Amino acid sequence: TYVVYDLLYRRGRSYMKEPLVRRRPRLFEAIRSAGRIYVVEPVADDGLAFFEAAKDQGLGGVVAKRFDSPYRAGQRHPDWLLIEAVRRQDFAVMGYIPQAGDPLLEVLIVATYDGRHFQPAGRVVGGFDAGVSRRLRKALDASPNAAAPDDGRWSDDRICWVEPRLVVAIKFSEWDRHGQLRFPIFSGLRPEVSPQECVRTAMVEPPEPA
């Protein structure tokens, strides 16, 4: 599916300096939703409800745009705001799945600390490039081996279980009903954080606007 949300040029003429409210009708004149082509419709009202719906679908967030804004190529500007629905938290790494035939990672197994034990919280498969993957793999290979958790959901012979000494920051959309992360993405190393600090924190929602 090809998703179209703006029109910048048409027939050799630039429309980038015109406001979005004028570019939109020209976009619909040039392209209409059909088959695999989809022209995005704006949501002019009920922005909070739209944002909540995006969170419920596990999406990354919404983009808010001023109707009177021009198109600023390659620039960040408050006229266009990315309002993220993702959350961020620190997790201890207690296991990984190595990439076959390569000193890289395929999956990170991250965990939280409940005061007595480390509990697996999810499998992370995105967010690390080859360089970061190689660095993580080297650190994890040097960690002492550990026993697999008793939970049958983690009975996977490919997983290498290690003592949780490495802490990473993870972005995610929410917790599922099994206490596992939804859509987790590696966000960085946290060498200044102790694994025992990786407790599961309550997700505090922002207050309703006045």
Side-chain angles (χ1 to χ4, degrees):
T1 301
Y2 181 53
V3 180
V4 188
Y5 64 89
D6 207 342
L7 182 142
L8 309 184
Y9 291 88
R10 188 182 184 195
R11 295 174 180 169
R13 177 183 171 184
S14 172
Y15 292 96
M16 294 171 63
K17 292 184 179 179
E18 291 197 11
L20 179 62
V21 70
R22 292 184 185 174
R23 298 198 306 273
R24 295 285 308 175
R26 297 184 187 279
L27 173 62
F28 280 95
E29 289 173 8
I31 303 175
R32 294 192 178 275
S33 294
R36 292 185 177 274
I37 298 176
Y38 176 69
V39 180
V40 177
E41 290 279 1
V43 177
D45 301 303
D46 299 320
L48 286 174
F50 185 61
F51 177 73
E52 292 300 323
K55 285 204 302 183
D56 290 343
Q57 293 293 320
L59 302 177
V62 300
V63 177
K65 302 179 181 180
R66 291 180 60 95
F67 279 128
D68 60 355
S69 63
Y71 188 91
R72 297 179 174 85
Q75 299 180 32
R76 291 176 180 254
H77 195 276
D79 283 350
W80 286 26
L81 298 176
L82 172 61
I83 304 171
E84 291 189 285
V86 297
R87 309 177 191 274
R88 190 188 307 268
Q89 193 171 319
D90 294 333
F91 293 86
V93 179
M94 67 180 302
Y96 66 97
I97 297 177
Q99 197 171 100
D102 207 320
L104 300 178
L105 292 172
E106 185 176 321
V107 179
L108 276 180
I109 311 298
V110 296
T112 56
Y113 186 64
D114 64 7
R116 296 179 59 193
H117 306 288
F118 287 92
Q119 304 292 340
R123 301 175 182 234
V124 182
V125 298
F128 38 82
D129 59 19
V132 173
S133 177
R134 192 172 289 108
R135 181 181 174 188
L136 289 169
R137 175 72 184 275
K138 183 178 180 180
L140 292 170
D141 283 345
S143 298
N145 294 333
D150 295 333
D151 192 334
R153 289 177 296 177
W154 297 95
S155 58
D156 187 335
D157 293 337
R158 299 176 302 159
I159 300 177
C160 300
W161 298 100
V162 296
E163 290 187 9
R165 296 182 176 182
L166 193 69
V167 175
V168 294
I170 300 295
K171 294 192 297 185
F172 61 100
S173 63
E174 62 182 349
W175 297 93
D176 68 15
R177 61 190 180 91
H178 300 294
Q180 299 295 293
L181 298 172
R182 293 193 67 199
F183 307 108
I185 299 175
F186 174 82
S187 184
L189 287 164
R190 298 279 283 162
E192 71 279 15
V193 178
S194 164
Q196 284 72 24
E197 295 179 68
C198 297
V199 297
R200 177 173 170 173
T201 57
M203 296 291 104
V204 180
E205 299 295 339
E208 290 292 331

